[in-house]
Amino acid sequence: MSTPETRYTSIPQEEDEGHQSDDTRVSGNQANNPKGEETGLYASLHNWWIHQWGNSNENAPLINRSKMTLEPPRKSNVRIAFEIVTIVGIFTLIGALVMLAVLGTNEVGGFPTRKLTDAEQMMLDLPSAKKLRHYLLNYTSVPHLAGTEADRLQAEWTRDKFTEFGIPNAEIKTYYPLLNYPVSHRLAIVSGPEEFWYNATLKEERIEEDPSTENPDIVPLFHGYSKNGTAKGPVIYANYGRLEDFQYLVDQGVQVNGTIALVRYGTTLRGLKIRAAAQYGCVGVLIYSDPIDDGPLDKDSELNPPKSYPEGPWRSASSAQRGSVSYLSLLAGDALTPGYAATENATRINMEDSNALPTIPSLPLSWKDALPLLKATEGHGTVNEIDWAGGLEGVQYYSGPSEGLVEMENIVKYNVTPVWNVFARIEGSVEPHRSIILGNHRDSWVFGSVDPSSGSSSLLEIARILGQMLQTGWRPKRTIILASWDAEEYGLIGSTEWVEDNRDWLTDEAVVYLNCDVAVSGPHFQAGASPSLNQLLYEVTSMVPDPMTGKSVYQAWGERSNATGVPSMLPPVGVLGSGSDFTAFMDHVGIASIDISFSGDYGVYHSVYDSFHWMEKFGDPDFKYHQTMVKVWGLLVLRLADDLILPIHPIDYANELQKYVHQLYLHAAPHTFPTLKKAVNSLVKAANSFEISLTQINQKLRRFNDDQKLSAKWSKRVEKMNSRLTSFERGFIDPEGIKGREWFKHVVYAPGLWTGYSGQVYPAISEAVDEKNIPLARHAEKRAAKCMQSAQDSLI
């Protein structure tokens, strides 16, 4: 049965029913009105009509003479028609007035907002597909792994482009984290039945139509932060390498201790697969890409052919996924300087004392190299029919262990290595002590056309447009900082070290961090954010046209999310977990953050095939979505930098907190958390009152135009309001942190302890419940409730 199309509207400001569909409202009125009396706007108009023109006798019941029963009153057909025409006319007039108001905002479609400023119009008009293509071509011209000479040269090129575009104060800031680089690798089955012996190629095949794959400096297959060493043992297949996967094998009597685990990418961060394997006694881990995950199997043909690259956008048989295997849910940033900046002369802990580094070696594999291992396990151990089978043909995904032994070698070299963040700064003209920071990481495992160079190119184009705006005499009210981070791929290092280095200043002055890691891998917009920024996301995406649909990005976003997920009045904004550079800002310091991207059919992640050729052929051939990302990202910057009152809404955050409490109750049943619930309810009340004040002040400020200077009285009121909005997110920071991973200090959000990428709400409480440590859960509840009060105090 088809689902009716959901109609998107603005977020209601006054009543909760605004979040319901029209059908829900009708049923709700009927439930509260058992007599069936008319309610709502129609009833008001109807009653007014009766009072002015109606005949009260028409409300009297009629007698059906043939049945001798009472029946509802009837009206003449003329009167019914006249009343309908009149009321429809009134509704039409109201609708016309609403449309005029909306059209007066220069809105593309979806979510009403105000009229664009001249600066915002420039941000919509000026992005150039040609220039974006040029930037991407340069960034993808060579492999640029963090800390290499190519990486340094691209940092200098980025700084020089900022300067060329007229952005003042462009500079490079160097940090010195621990990094590793591949020396040699080997994988082979060396015993058992001879028909299973083999040596893995551990190499991605060259493709004639993609000249970048012939580059002699392609980074070999390896894992960042992987353990240096060798391992030998039988191989087992452990599905996705989750805790529950290893526990299943143990429960089935499968030997796990002393084995090398073959696991597939997906569902959890790659480093946590290795952590789980080590906990169960494995001596090594091989992580491969299965064709059913990011290969061509079971993929639709809506955008591209469901084929492997280069015939389609999906992973091919020899393609493998590089990546970091640090324990990112325990610590972000440099492993040897936990919680403080990795400056050149910083005190460093020993590698063996870090809680973020793996203790057993690992290698990334293609499915071509994984297949012989799966064949070696066939007929041994168990087969799990639920969730365990991948998409390879001719093999049944037995657990093993194999009869023969596998030898793996992962020789890597560790060094304290310089990495280079690039910054440019535009000083604010009215509130220079408040900063809007936008950032993207620049380093890549190989060429990184999608990840991260589509974002790097978009950042450069925003810089160029801001430079042109500066030439017109425009100055932002608040300071804008552009950041090109380094070494993100190893563990969010460049951004984390900078945040740790500038923690006090950021706590005082940073308003919002706007992250764009992967700008474009396709046409589908998605976002994660602090809930207080949801309305801003909806407003900005309503102003930007979507190239493929011709509607607004907001409308296209909502329609796709309804078609592919749970239908909702508003497009979903995700919970921020980890895996990109917003992590330190949000989870360590408490700076409201946004992460945005356009996603699509992307099967070449962290491989040599994430190239300029892939982007031109499949990702964004005409670079229109790169242009669109510049518009969205740029308008977010301008709204936050130039609005008199910061476009931040704590009420949306507070409402989400109530939902999270409900989720926590379900997760922890039969345990309840009344102290937290009471604190959240109190925060909701305070946020509601604050939102009323916020709306009133914004309405009064409309009489001031952009060039009109505020009076001392109004300047003071604006300053006070913006101070409250800036500090609101800081209230959720608990200096104590989460037990066992104290670097993470946000009481509402953290990456899942055993998922990494996806976010966990009320993490300290949830983890204590999972560990059945109820006293610790109570302690975490008190800490969280105290933070709710701190956030509430910031609004007063």
Side-chain angles (χ1 to χ4, degrees), residues 413-656:
K413 184 177 181 181
Y414 274 91
N415 291 309
V416 172
T417 305
V419 296
W420 305 276
N421 292 336
V422 185
F423 299 99
R425 178 187 179 100
I426 304 173
E427 195 75 10
S429 61
V430 179
E431 299 177 51
H433 57 291
R434 293 202 171 92
S435 296
I436 313 302
I437 305 163
L438 64 156
N440 155 270
H441 78 90
R442 188 188 61 259
D443 65 298
S444 174
W445 290 111
V446 195
F447 302 107
S449 183
V450 170
D451 179 16
S453 299
S454 62
S456 302
S457 302
S458 300
L459 182 68
L460 273 191
E461 183 66 351
I462 289 175
R464 184 185 71 83
I465 295 168
L466 290 174
Q468 290 201 2
M469 289 162 56
L470 288 171
Q471 292 178 16
T472 69
W474 167 85
R475 293 294 182 275
K477 291 182 174 67
R478 300 176 193 96
T479 298
I480 297 174
I481 296 174
L482 297 90
S484 172
W485 309 116
D486 203 354
E488 186 270 357
E489 294 291 8
Y490 276 86
L492 320 180
I493 290 172
S495 58
T496 299
E497 301 314 305
W498 186 75
V499 167
E500 292 174 344
D501 203 16
N502 296 276
R503 185 185 295 107
D504 293 341
W505 172 81
L506 287 166
T507 299
D508 290 340
E509 299 194 6
V511 178
V512 171
Y513 174 65
L514 300 167
N515 189 65
C516 179
D517 187 329
V518 170
V520 181
S521 64
H524 306 309
F525 185 76
Q526 57 187 27
S530 301
S532 56
L533 296 168
N534 287 2
Q535 286 194 44
L536 175 63
L537 273 168
Y538 295 146
E539 291 171 7
V540 164
T541 53
S542 287
M543 307 300 292
V544 180
D546 176 65
M548 187 170 71
T549 65
K551 301 177 181 180
S552 69
V553 170
Y554 172 85
Q555 290 170 314
W557 174 20
E559 289 175 3
R560 176 167 176 79
S561 65
N562 273 355
T564 58
V566 178
S568 173
M569 285 290 290
L570 296 165
V573 178
V575 171
L576 292 176
S578 187
S580 196
D581 290 303
F582 57 79
T583 303
F585 290 92
M586 181 84 167
D587 295 341
H588 191 63
V589 182
I591 297 167
S593 299
I594 291 176
D595 184 52
I596 50 176
S597 68
F598 281 97
S599 65
D601 297 344
Y602 181 38
V604 294
Y605 177 64
H606 286 190
S607 76
V608 70
Y609 308 123
D610 188 358
S611 62
F612 185 83
H613 180 74
W614 184 95
M615 181 66 76
E616 277 208 312
K617 187 172 183 179
F618 299 113
D620 190 21
D622 52 15
F623 286 81
K624 286 185 178 179
Y625 276 95
H626 282 74
Q627 281 182 295
T628 305
M629 176 54 77
V630 172
K631 295 173 185 180
V632 171
W633 198 6
L635 284 181
L636 288 171
V637 172
L638 293 179
R639 284 291 308 276
L640 287 161
D642 274 349
D643 278 15
L644 278 173
I645 301 290
L646 287 164
I648 297 173
H649 295 272
I651 183 58
D652 295 332
Y653 209 129
N655 288 334
E656 288 300 304

